[in-house]
Amino acid sequence: MLNFEFNGRRMSAFEGDTIASALYASGVRIFSRSFKYHRPRGLLCVSGRCPNCLMSVDGVPNVKACTERVRAGMKVKSQNCWPSLEHDIFSVIDKIGRFLPVGFYYKTFINPPIEWSRVEWIIRRLTGLGDIEEEIASATGKGPKDGRSIHSSSFEHLNLQADVAVIGGGPSGIFAALEAGNAGARVVLVDDQPALGGHLRYSGETLSIDVATGEGAYSGLKSSAVASTLEKAVRDRPNMTVLDNSTAFGIYESNLIGIVRGNSVIRLRAEQLVFATGAHEFPSVFQNNDLPEVFLGRGIQRLVNLYGVIPGKRAVVVSNNDSGLGVARTLMDAGVKLEAYIDSRKAVGAPETLAEIEDAKVQTFLGWAVKEARGSKHVSSVVICEVDNEGELVHGTERVVSCDLVSLSTGFETEAWLLNQTGSRTIYDELLREFIPRELKPTVYVCGDLTGIHDLNIAIMQGKVAGLSAAVNLPAMERSSELKVEYQRKSLETYSRLVSQYEGKYREGMKRTRGPDVLVVEYPGSDKMRKRFVCVCEDVVAKDISLATFEGFDDIETLKRYSTVTMGPCQGKMCSMPSLHLCSRVTGRSIAQTGRTVSRPPYVPVAMGALAGAELHPVKLTGIHYKHIELGARIMDMGEWKRPHVYTSVEEEYKAVRESVGVIDVSTLGRLDVKGRDAGKLLDFVYTHIFSTLKVGKSRYGVICDDAGIVLDDGTVTRLSETHYFITTTTGNVEFVEEWLVWWATALRLDAYITNVTAGLGAVNVAGPKARDLLQKLTTVDLSSGAFPYMSSAEGEVAGVPCILLRIGFVGETGWEIHFPAEFGEYFWDTLLEAGKEFGVKPFGVETQRVLRLEKKHVIVGQDTDALSNPFEADMAWTVKFEKEDFVGKAALVAAEKKEPERMLVGFVMKDSMVAHDGDQVFSQDGSRHVGFVTSSKFSPKVGRCVGMALVTPEHYKEGSLIRVKSDDALNGAEVTLAPFYDPEGKRLRA
Amino acid sequence: MGFLLECPNCGKRDVYEFRFGGEAHKRPRVNSSSEEWMKYVYMRENVAGVQQEWWFHRLGCHKWFLAIRDTRDNSVSI
Ligand code: FES
Ligand SMILES: [Zn+2]
């Protein structure tokens, strides 16, 4: 026994019980309160297809109690009731009946009769389904510091592939899977139940199977025993994967099936799809048809045969098809007294069973239907009436049958939604009264109840046909031996012939027994039948549908949106057929003409967390990362990279770089290797600058624009040989630049090959007046300014490691950017720090680097430029070489150059001690006009005040122009500077 | 949830392995009119139907290729 809690009470359950079966067995009858009228609702479908048993389980709202297994200690609470399920205050709405007619919210709140704030709290309590509990809300919202929810770790995504995917593990699906597997296909069988077998598991019947199907051996056996045997046969096969407890919720392009299994989403890609999704029952519509203990027939069979629960003492079985007879048998076998068997047909398809029922002294009413159910919190009797040929109740024939359980076998609806998502169609079959598959897309096959035919022999053969067809049509199967192909073709013929024979007989039988359509009972002359519920999710009654149709919403799609029928949690599973019938009755159009609403994925509710999957963020670490940790650096995120923000303090690190030497890990820079005869040509075309004339051993700054002239990226380009260039890009932008270069090389058909070498290379920048002294200790490469001037490069060994050395100066001091194989990172770093000890070397972080570069007014693309910046605005006109015949962006830049720019990037120095923030707004000197915004700003140790850059209107693009920066609500004076704040002539850079 | 796209080098792969490169259209000559450039830079056909477009096999061979895709059902041919 397992113990769990229900609304604070201790409950017990057997292993294998669902919450609903355990509660029902303990006497619980009311499982929820309805959405609008707060009417008591009990179990209906017992298969997860209606809204009646939604509960909150361990804080997760809207869990279906009838499919959720009991786990020891789980906490279950009812929803949508206040203060309790048994006594819900808002159920008075039900008593004043007419309170909320169709379109109530639209009509009432277009011009609210009273102030919204006065009624809001009531409306809020009345509407919505379930509550997200506090602890979950806080965890998923602000929650722990890293912003992760406590649940996220349990979600995951899986990818699977199959030759043939079979959706639905009932008899037809099983035979489809077996047949496809026999033919050599890799099969995945998806089923939403814990065990395979479909209705065989719970129908409780003794099977009679035709020998011609080849499965005659199963005849005379109990259906549940056959289900287990078949399940074992499937699971024993090596080329078969069974996904149980798994619901396919959507079919997407290229035969991708979205499947939810607990907290996982499985993406299954299959060559061929077999749909064996079956059909579900739905209730007919009569007065008070929503009372607790009015069940769907198969729901009762599940309770009895899967969970061993006796559902009531005195039952009435209501039917319009042969499955009702099966339910009557189930109830009698379970020892429930059958008060009456009511069938709207005059003849049944299984007279033997009817005779058995009559032999048991049960009253049978053929040609009768239920007019209403009576009872307050659960059903206590039904009123039945004779039905005329038009399906209307006959006046004066009323009889009351008392009972405590009503079973409805009032119709099947094919589960065709997933099938429809493949683009395959369904049409309404007047004889079968179901939507059946037609015009199947290639690679799509159907079998079983989904075809609108409910017969085990046919299901078996249809399954075989579907499975075998799917397998033989596999592209890879064409290679199998001719003999086999011939054999398969023969079998397929035999199976198909059998299917059409059986089907013909089945249809004959349907014609013989066909009765009037009494899906929605009408009682002429009575307007009292106000509580005929069509949609139990949204509490839409028959009158609402008729009224909405009268009001002009007579297209099934508009009717749906206006009345909200089919829009609740069940998504139309319980109400789509009845509402269709009503709509067609009012409009006089046939069901086929009325058509069904389209249903999109997901077919069942899927938790957002499951769709999102595990919260896994890729993280990139440089080869030196753990050295930074050892040095006590504060680490920051930069895209996917982790970088040291600061080690000791900005002041200390700044001082080291400016006065002796500092080292920074710049392994995060993007690095591309460009080779080929046309490498120079490619770069000339992609960058605004010229690189084909660059001398081997030289570096040059470059800007990449798009054809709109917008700056996309910048970096250095170094020529290593005639046909070999080495490029650096902005951190985090290298994938884009790579794609961009490859695209142009492809589009221009150039002989140039681009390789992203970022991950393979580590890099450090050694900068400061003592950088040369430090490095010269470690290398034989001549670093003197004569031999190795600013903007030149060399390949050589440093500390025994093969390196590319670039003499560039982002931070404005003598310095080398050194690239080396990433695996030497820690060694290289340690060696540098060791060798630099005598000069007082210090590692510096991103924050210090930002101060240093800002003093030099070096632009960071993406920070000092935005999605509208061209090189002129960024004050980098010098990088644009119009003498080139063409390059990316030339046409746009030629045009831009002729125009006055809308804004210019300028430097500024604050007048007082105020430190501006990035993004602060900039105003004219008199404060009257908004003229731009700050892109970067930092306190400059060199200047002794805050310096920065701003994008401002061009009239301020002049040395000494006065502006005001709005910081912390004050307008602070600042002065524009066009030259760098530090070493404007670049003497130190070149030293 | 993602269709299959056939890379000429690597074969059929999930579309998530690729970067979409937009409609394929001819780049104007450098001295073309500004209208022509404007059209090239900003205007797209956005057809409901078949179009030629660029794709980059980001998680595969790192090559760009042209594919013909029906935007209505994402069926692709090369
Ligand atoms: S009774 Fe649980 S969903 Fe219908
Ligand atoms: Zn590829």
Side-chain angles (χ1 to χ4, degrees):
Chain A
M1 289 295 259
L2 301 167
N3 288 316
F4 69 107
E5 207 177 90
F6 174 59
N7 286 343
R9 263 161 61 208
R10 219 174 115 100
M11 295 285 184
S12 55
F14 288 106
E15 195 76 50
D17 254 330
T18 61
I19 297 171
S21 66
L23 290 180
Y24 198 93
S26 329
V28 174
R29 292 295 179 264
I30 302 177
F31 280 73
S32 64
R33 286 279 172 170
S34 74
F35 181 65
K36 225 154 84 175
Y37 301 123
H38 287 245
R39 285 168 67 90
R41 294 277 161 83
L43 299 181
L44 177 63
C45 70
V46 201
S47 63
R49 287 180 167 76
C50 74
N52 281 12
C53 68
L54 294 181
M55 295 195 172
S56 145
V57 176
D58 291 334
V60 178
N62 298 327
V63 175
K64 287 164 186 151
C66 70
T67 54
E68 187 78 9
R69 308 250 138 189
V70 172
R71 294 181 306 273
M74 74 187 340
K75 287 197 173 59
V76 181
K77 280 189 199 152
S78 50
Q79 307 183 155
N80 210 32
C81 57
W82 189 65
S84 78
L85 267 181
E86 290 289 327
H87 307 283
D88 182 329
I89 282 184
F90 289 110
S91 62
V92 297
I93 295 172
D94 183 34
K95 301 288 180 312
I96 50 175
R98 247 188 281 260
F99 191 57
L100 300 171
V102 65
F104 170 77
Y105 289 98
Y106 296 149
K107 289 169 182 164
T108 312
F109 292 105
I110 282 182
N111 298 303
I114 23 174
E115 216 182 312
W116 171 250
S117 59
R118 308 245 306 265
V119 289
E120 183 178 355
W121 75 273
I122 309 181
I123 305 273
R124 293 253 180 257
R125 260 234 192 268
L126 286 173
T127 56
L129 274 183
D131 293 302
I132 294 182
E133 288 199 359
E134 293 291 314
E135 68 228 57
I136 293 182
S138 64
T140 45
K142 296 237 169 57
K145 266 202 277 340
D146 59 359
R148 272 160 222 196
S149 84
I150 47 174
H151 294 277
S152 61
S153 54
S154 56
F155 293 115
E156 61 175 350
H157 280 185
L158 300 166
N159 289 290
L160 281 181
Q161 259 133 40
D163 294 328
V164 177
V166 179
I167 306 173
S172 71
I174 289 177
F175 280 102
L178 288 172
E179 202 66 35
N182 281 344
R186 284 176 310 140
V187 180
V188 174
L189 176 60
V190 186
D191 190 68
D192 61 354
Q193 297 297 311
L196 300 183
H199 69 271
L200 294 183
R201 291 173 60 227
Y202 56 80
S203 64
E205 66 200 305
T206 305
L207 301 182
S208 89
I209 293 174
D210 199 336
V211 199
T213 60
E215 309 299 334
Y218 293 121
S219 219
L221 300 181
K222 266 274 186 215
S223 66
S224 53
V226 173
S228 330
T229 313
L230 289 174
E231 165 145 31
K232 192 167 174 322
V234 172
R235 288 193 190 266
D236 281 350
R237 302 200 84 93
N239 54 348
M240 192 91 62
T241 307
V242 177
L243 296 176
D244 51 18
N245 291 309
S246 305
T247 310
F249 63 80
I251 310 290
Y252 303 86
E253 292 134 331
S254 308
N255 286 0
L256 179 67
I257 311 168
I259 297 167
V260 60
R261 185 190 214 199
N263 279 342
S264 316
V265 162
I266 300 168
R267 306 170 82 244
L268 169 61
R269 183 88 67 179
E271 292 281 350
Q272 312 274 344
L273 305 177
V274 175
F275 289 87
T277 44
H280 63 253
E281 290 181 307
F282 55 89
S284 61
V285 179
F286 52 87
Q287 177 79 345
N288 286 329
N289 59 339
D290 66 326
L291 272 181
E293 279 153 293
V294 175
F295 276 92
L296 293 177
R298 283 189 164 181
I300 289 186
Q301 288 186 318
R302 285 191 178 90
L303 271 188
V304 174
N305 291 326
L306 290 180
Y307 308 111
V309 176
I310 304 292
K313 293 202 179 69
R314 292 166 305 125
V316 167
V317 172
V318 181
S319 181
N320 65 7
N321 64 70
D322 286 344
S323 71
L325 296 167
V327 182
R329 288 284 309 259
T330 297
L331 285 168
M332 295 194 311
D333 289 349
V336 178
K337 182 164 188 314
L338 213 54
E339 295 289 347
Y341 174 81
I342 297 148
D343 201 318
S344 54
R345 301 172 300 172
K346 294 243 160 61
V348 300
E352 335 74 66
T353 317
L354 186 67
E356 273 175 52
I357 294 172
E358 279 166 344
D359 286 350
K361 305 253 164 352
V362 175
Q363 287 199 61
T364 57
F365 296 86
L366 297 191
W368 287 62
V370 181
K371 178 189 165 209
E372 68 174 290
R374 290 186 177 160
S376 61
K377 278 183 186 161
H378 57 88
V379 67
S380 56
S381 64
V382 288
V383 181
I384 59 173
C385 270
E386 245 183 279
V387 188
D388 66 16
N389 286 339
E390 303 308 311
E392 282 189 355
L393 305 180
V394 181
H395 268 282
T397 58
E398 281 92 340
R399 285 176 71 160
V400 178
V401 184
S402 79
C403 61
D404 64 0
L405 181 69
V406 175
S407 161
L408 303 180
S409 298
T410 45
F412 286 103
E413 178 174 29
T414 53
E415 298 245 4
W417 288 280
L418 287 175
L419 174 71
N420 289 151
Q421 287 169 15
T422 64
S424 306
R425 295 201 328 125
T426 41
I427 56 150
Y428 188 70
D429 186 302
E430 293 288 348
L431 177 65
L432 303 175
R433 293 198 174 121
E434 290 183 51
F435 282 89
I436 62 168
R438 274 293 171 280
E439 294 172 28
L440 298 180
K441 291 278 171 185
T443 75
V444 171
Y445 308 85
V446 294
C447 55
D449 285 350
L450 171 63
T451 62
I453 293 172
H454 311 289
D455 178 280
L456 187 56
N457 284 311
I458 301 181
I460 292 172
M461 294 322 289
Q462 283 177 329
K464 290 187 177 186
V465 171
L468 188 52
S469 313
V472 299
N473 288 329
L474 281 170
M477 285 293 160
E478 285 160 18
R479 286 188 299 265
S480 56
S481 80
E482 249 171 66
L483 212 67
K484 200 169 154 196
V485 170
E486 182 56 21
Y487 173 73
Q488 288 172 338
R489 199 181 53 76
K490 279 255 166 64
S491 320
L492 205 49
E493 256 171 37
T494 319
Y495 294 166
S496 307
R497 199 171 340 108
L498 221 48
V499 168
S500 49
Q501 259 174 38
Y502 286 145
E503 242 193 85
K505 261 196 246 156
Y506 182 87
R507 284 183 177 270
E508 281 306 309
M510 289 300 284
K511 270 184 209 145
R512 257 199 326 275
T513 58
R514 188 179 155 88
D517 168 19
V518 272
L519 201 47
V520 183
V521 301
E522 296 290 348
Y523 192 68
S526 165
D527 61 346
K528 292 259 168 58
M529 308 261 277
R530 278 197 282 109
K531 285 170 181 165
R532 289 175 296 155
F533 284 86
V534 174
C535 165
V536 280
C537 296
E538 304 269 311
D539 270 357
V540 180
V541 297
K543 221 185 103 199
D544 292 330
I545 302 282
S546 324
L547 183 62
T549 315
F550 276 129
E551 286 181 4
F553 299 94
D554 59 355
D555 182 279
I556 194 70
E557 292 286 350
T558 54
L559 178 65
K560 157 183 161 180
R561 284 155 181 80
Y562 182 61
S563 68
T564 70
V565 73
T566 75
M567 287 172 73
C570 92
Q571 288 287 290
K573 294 182 185 79
M574 294 294 112
C575 52
S576 111
M577 291 302 268
S579 57
L580 247 174
H581 275 250
L582 270 163
C583 181
S584 101
R585 189 177 294 172
V586 176
T587 57
R589 292 192 295 255
S590 71
I591 303 271
Q593 285 164 338
T594 309
R596 268 207 294 199
T597 56
V598 182
S599 139
R600 285 173 288 263
Y603 169 67
V604 292
V606 183
M608 285 298 183
L611 289 176
E615 218 175 316
L616 299 173
H617 297 286
V619 169
K620 291 180 179 171
L621 302 180
T622 76
I624 313 172
H625 180 78
Y626 293 101
K627 288 290 162 190
H628 306 320
I629 305 274
E630 267 174 36
L631 289 166
R634 212 164 76 221
I635 302 295
M636 64 181 285
D637 289 338
M638 211 180 231
E640 292 171 345
W641 289 102
K642 301 277 178 199
R643 294 197 70 181
H645 184 250
V646 65
Y647 296 83
T648 51
S649 72
V650 173
E651 296 77 54
E652 216 175 283
E653 293 171 21
Y654 175 93
K655 200 159 172 287
V657 178
R658 288 283 185 246
E659 289 171 16
S660 55
V661 57
V663 288
I664 180 168
D665 178 2
V666 291
S667 309
T668 59
L669 279 174
R671 269 73 52 84
L672 295 175
D673 186 270
V674 183
K675 281 196 180 112
R677 252 182 306 119
D678 297 330
K681 212 166 158 189
L682 171 69
L683 299 180
D684 280 355
F685 203 82
V686 170
Y687 284 85
T688 57
H689 220 301
I690 300 178
F691 295 99
S692 54
T693 59
L694 188 68
K695 296 225 163 50
V696 173
K698 289 288 176 195
S699 301
R700 186 170 282 168
Y701 176 73
V703 171
I704 299 178
C705 289
D706 63 13
D707 261 323
I710 305 300
V711 177
L712 299 178
D713 200 67
D714 70 343
T716 58
V717 176
T718 302
R719 193 166 201 170
L720 298 176
S721 82
E722 272 312 307
T723 55
H724 187 186
Y725 290 83
F726 180 75
I727 296 175
T728 62
T729 78
T730 311
T731 294
N733 211 20
V734 65
E735 278 87 7
F736 167 76
V737 176
E738 181 197 357
E739 285 166 21
W740 187 252
L741 260 61
V742 176
W743 191 79
W744 285 103
T746 309
L748 300 171
R749 295 172 191 275
L750 295 179
D751 180 41
Y753 305 93
I754 294 98
T755 311
N756 185 345
V757 293
T758 305
L761 292 180
V764 293
N765 186 4
V766 184
K770 293 279 191 288
R772 179 175 291 118
D773 298 343
L774 190 165
L775 283 173
Q776 202 67 79
K777 282 174 72 180
L778 301 172
T779 182
T780 53
V781 177
D782 185 353
L783 300 177
S784 66
S785 57
F788 207 142
Y790 181 58
M791 292 313 268
S792 56
S793 72
E795 290 175 88
E797 281 188 2
V798 178
V801 176
C803 296
I804 301 174
L805 295 94
L806 311 180
R807 175 91 199 268
I808 52 180
F810 191 53
V811 298
E813 301 290 344
T814 307
W816 281 266
E817 192 177 279
I818 307 172
H819 301 263
F820 51 85
E823 57 268 35
F824 293 109
E826 296 198 350
Y827 159 76
F828 202 76
W829 180 261
D830 282 347
T831 309
L832 280 175
L833 291 188
E834 187 57 42
K837 262 197 183 135
E838 57 175 296
F839 312 107
V841 67
K842 286 254 172 346
F844 63 103
V846 174
E847 184 61 18
T848 307
Q849 189 190 37
R850 283 175 178 168
V851 174
L852 294 163
R853 74 95 195 174
L854 191 56
E855 286 188 337
K856 283 297 292 177
K857 269 190 76 209
H858 283 151
V859 168
I860 296 181
V861 170
Q863 169 147 0
D864 304 305
T865 68
D866 60 23
L868 294 172
S869 304
N870 64 35
F872 303 121
E873 282 189 7
D875 203 12
M876 300 195 293
W878 60 275
T879 65
V880 181
K881 300 297 176 201
F882 282 130
E883 59 267 38
K884 289 190 289 183
E885 189 195 324
D886 190 9
F887 60 89
V888 185
K890 181 173 181 185
L893 291 173
V894 167
E897 201 204 16
K898 291 192 192 122
K899 279 196 299 196
E900 162 99 337
E902 280 171 33
R903 36 182 211 168
M904 287 298 294
L905 189 66
V906 298
F908 66 85
V909 183
M910 297 297 284
K911 290 228 161 127
D912 50 31
S913 64
M914 188 74 201
V915 177
H917 315 288
D918 299 355
D920 280 351
Q921 300 302 312
V922 178
F923 292 82
S924 57
Q925 163 69 0
D926 60 5
S928 67
R929 269 176 319 112
H930 175 248
V931 298
F933 64 93
V934 173
T935 61
S936 304
S937 93
K938 297 268 175 234
F939 176 78
S940 158
K942 164 74 183 8
V943 180
R945 269 173 290 151
C946 167
V947 301
M949 284 196 268
L951 273 165
V952 293
T953 48
E955 84 252 22
H956 293 291
Y957 181 67
K958 76 179 173 271
E959 196 70 40
S961 178
L962 295 176
I963 52 173
R964 284 181 182 272
V965 176
K966 188 168 184 187
S967 247
D968 301 338
D969 273 340
L971 283 173
N972 308 283
E975 191 181 325
V976 167
T977 322
L978 297 180
F981 308 102
Y982 180 79
D983 184 26
E985 293 89 49
K987 282 197 193 118
R988 298 179 67 92
L989 213 52
R990 291 182 171 79
Chain B
M1 291 270 280
F3 52 99
L4 291 179
L5 193 58
E6 189 162 347
C7 168
N9 299 309
C10 312
K12 269 193 183 175
R13 299 297 180 87
D14 199 304
V15 70
Y16 290 141
E17 293 191 7
F18 300 86
R19 154 127 34 241
F20 178 54
E23 295 168 15
H25 45 184
K26 225 176 128 36
R27 188 171 177 271
R29 309 182 79 83
V30 66
N31 45 12
S32 304
S33 68
S34 52
E35 281 70 34
E36 245 175 279
W37 273 104
M38 190 268 292
K39 253 172 84 184
Y40 169 75
V41 171
Y42 296 110
M43 302 310 245
R44 299 292 178 267
E45 297 298 329
N46 197 23
V47 295
V50 174
Q51 70 177 12
Q52 195 182 39
E53 52 197 28
W54 284 102
W55 288 89
F56 179 72
H57 198 182
R58 197 161 51 95
L59 303 183
C61 60
H62 282 219
K63 295 257 189 307
W64 283 98
F65 60 94
L66 287 165
I68 315 266
R69 182 175 65 104
D70 190 326
T71 60
R72 293 164 303 185
D73 62 6
N74 284 334
S75 55
V76 184
S77 50
I78 323 179

